[in-house]
Every structure is written in C-alpha cells, then in structure tokens.
Amino acid sequence: MAGIQSSLSFTTPSTTTPSSIATEVTTNLTAPMIIAHLTIPHLLSLPDPSTFILVSSGLAFLPVPLYPVYCPTKAGIHSFAVALRAQLGDTRCRVVELAPPYVDTGLDAKHRVKTIEAQGGEEKAMKPMGLEAYLDTAMEGLKREGELEVTTGFSEMGAGVWRGAFGPVMEQMGVKG
C-alpha cells in the first residue's frame, strides 16, 4: 500500500476529523517506520544482500495545498529513507525509495475532480502516468545497482533538485544517505 491521500482544508474543519488526520499520518509515515523497525534486523541477519523499499511520492518534494497531510507524510518517508540508508550504509541491506509521480490509480479517486478543477480544468491539469507504464519504469529502476530513489517525471525532477541542493551538505556532514 502506498498510502492514504485526503484532500482537506484546515480553514474548513468539516473537511476532516482529528481521527482521519491521525489515520493518514499513521498509515503513510508511522507504519512504514514500524515495519522497518521489525524487518531490518531480519534482513541484516540474512547471508545474502537484501533491499528494503519505502514508497514516498513526487509530492514529497512538491507540497500541494490540496493534500496538507499527505505531502508532509511523504516528505517524512523521504527523510526516513535517507536516514535509514545512512544507518545501513556499511551493511548488505540496501534502502531504495520509490517516489512515484502522479499515477493513474484509485489513490485520488475521491477528489480527482477537485484536483482537476484546482489546476484550471481538464485542459490545464496534469495528466496521470498510466499504471502499467509506471510499473515498467519502477521495475527497471529497482534493477539498477546503486539507485537511491526510483523516480520518473516530476518526482525525478523533485528528487534531483533535492539531491543537488542537499547532497553537498550531507556529504560535508559525512552522511551517506
């Protein structure tokens, strides 16, 4: 599961509940961290190399006001992937972040019309990448040795800008994430 994406407005409290916000944060950010906590020791005990995959989003790098909870949870997953990768740097366990762009799935089914309207209508709105095309791209990226983030489209741009801006700082700090 890649997560939960709700469209809500903090200026209109009736668009969500505290419980819904907590569920989105738990599903998108807390649960992957707990899974890592429970899984990484096993992966480290294996005699062969292993890969731990985290799913963020192109929206980890581009906060969109329609999704004020989803975007920061996916940014948190990106940050966690970098930190976990650094912690596991000298082990046989590789950490890869899948950062999909806008893909045609049911994730935004409840608010796709609202998203299209917010972008100025059907003619101007960003078109989602087909699921099959994304899966082909993701599988190719996962096969590439040394790949840190598997990205395409605007997620590739966001990850590239992030790496370009923060990579030198991380290197200076001795962080290999």
Side-chain angles (χ1 to χ4, degrees):
M1 176 182 217
I4 296 173
Q5 183 186 74
S6 299
S7 178
L8 60 102
S9 173
F10 283 92
T11 63
T12 310
S14 64
T15 61
T16 193
T17 65
S19 177
S20 294
I21 293 168
T23 297
E24 192 164 350
V25 171
T26 299
T27 301
N28 295 353
L29 183 59
T30 308
M33 291 178 166
I34 292 170
I35 291 168
H37 172 75
L38 297 171
T39 305
I40 296 298
H42 170 70
L43 295 176
L44 293 174
S45 74
L46 299 174
D48 296 320
S50 59
T51 301
F52 188 79
I53 300 171
L54 289 159
V55 180
S56 68
S57 167
L59 295 179
F61 310 102
L62 178 69
V64 173
L66 286 173
Y67 319 117
V69 177
Y70 180 83
C71 294
T73 63
K74 293 304 183 171
I77 286 295
H78 170 70
S79 183
F80 179 59
V82 171
L84 187 59
R85 190 178 299 122
Q87 287 186 2
L88 298 173
D90 295 328
T91 72
R92 292 181 313 279
C93 185
R94 169 181 161 209
V95 176
V96 176
E97 175 186 355
L98 286 178
Y102 180 26
V103 178
D104 193 7
T105 68
L107 182 67
D108 68 335
K110 291 181 181 176
H111 50 267
R112 187 173 284 194
V113 171
K114 186 177 182 179
T115 301
I116 291 169
E117 288 171 2
Q119 294 179 51
E122 194 76 44
E123 297 299 315
K124 295 180 182 178
M126 181 181 289
K127 306 292 184 255
M129 183 178 197
L131 181 59
E132 290 298 320
Y134 174 69
L135 291 174
D136 290 343
T137 301
M139 293 310 292
E140 285 303 313
L142 288 170
K143 292 176 189 174
R144 287 192 293 269
E145 195 64 36
E147 196 80 4
L148 304 177
E149 292 102 10
V150 175
T151 59
T152 187
F154 80 86
S155 69
E156 184 174 27
M157 180 178 30
V161 169
W162 189 92
R163 285 255 161 231
F166 294 105
V169 176
M170 289 173 43
E171 194 173 303
Q172 183 179 2
M173 295 173 63
V175 177
K176 297 177 183 175

